[in-house]
Amino acid sequence: MDQQAHIKAFNDAIAAGAEGVMTVAFLPDIWVRPIDDATDNGTLVYTFDIASPESKEAVHVGPSNVDLGRSVAGALVDDIGADATGDVI
């Protein structure tokens, strides 16, 4: 993914007058400044799937990775079958 193009699209949406923006903050550290600049200027910023926890994002929407991991592990155990040995970690 081209992060600079992603951030440019984010900033372009804000410059066009968006009151709120949702983004996937892939590589969360590089999103801190763009998110903070947007929120400091009154734009609500929501993240989806990947948060930027060090930023001023308003809301993060995404699955609990713990719950997701448990679900995937359960499906794996079901697929492996009762004759398998070992641990799923």
Side-chain angles (χ1 to χ4, degrees):
M1 178 177 262
D2 183 345
Q3 292 307 307
Q4 295 309 313
H6 187 177
I7 290 170
K8 182 182 182 317
F10 174 87
N11 287 330
D12 288 350
I14 294 165
E19 294 178 21
V21 179
M22 180 176 278
T23 190
V24 176
F26 180 67
L27 302 177
D29 292 343
I30 69 169
W31 278 94
V32 173
R33 183 163 185 167
I35 291 171
D36 288 356
D37 287 349
T39 59
D40 288 347
N41 289 313
T43 303
L44 292 173
V45 178
Y46 302 87
T47 57
F48 175 77
D49 193 36
I50 300 174
S52 180
E54 300 299 318
S55 74
K56 298 175 184 176
E57 64 188 18
V59 173
H60 172 68
V61 179
S64 162
N65 287 334
V66 172
D67 292 341
L68 181 60
R70 286 184 179 137
S71 293
V72 169
L76 178 65
V77 168
D78 291 344
D79 285 347
I80 290 173
D83 296 335
T85 61
D87 296 319
V88 175
I89 298 172

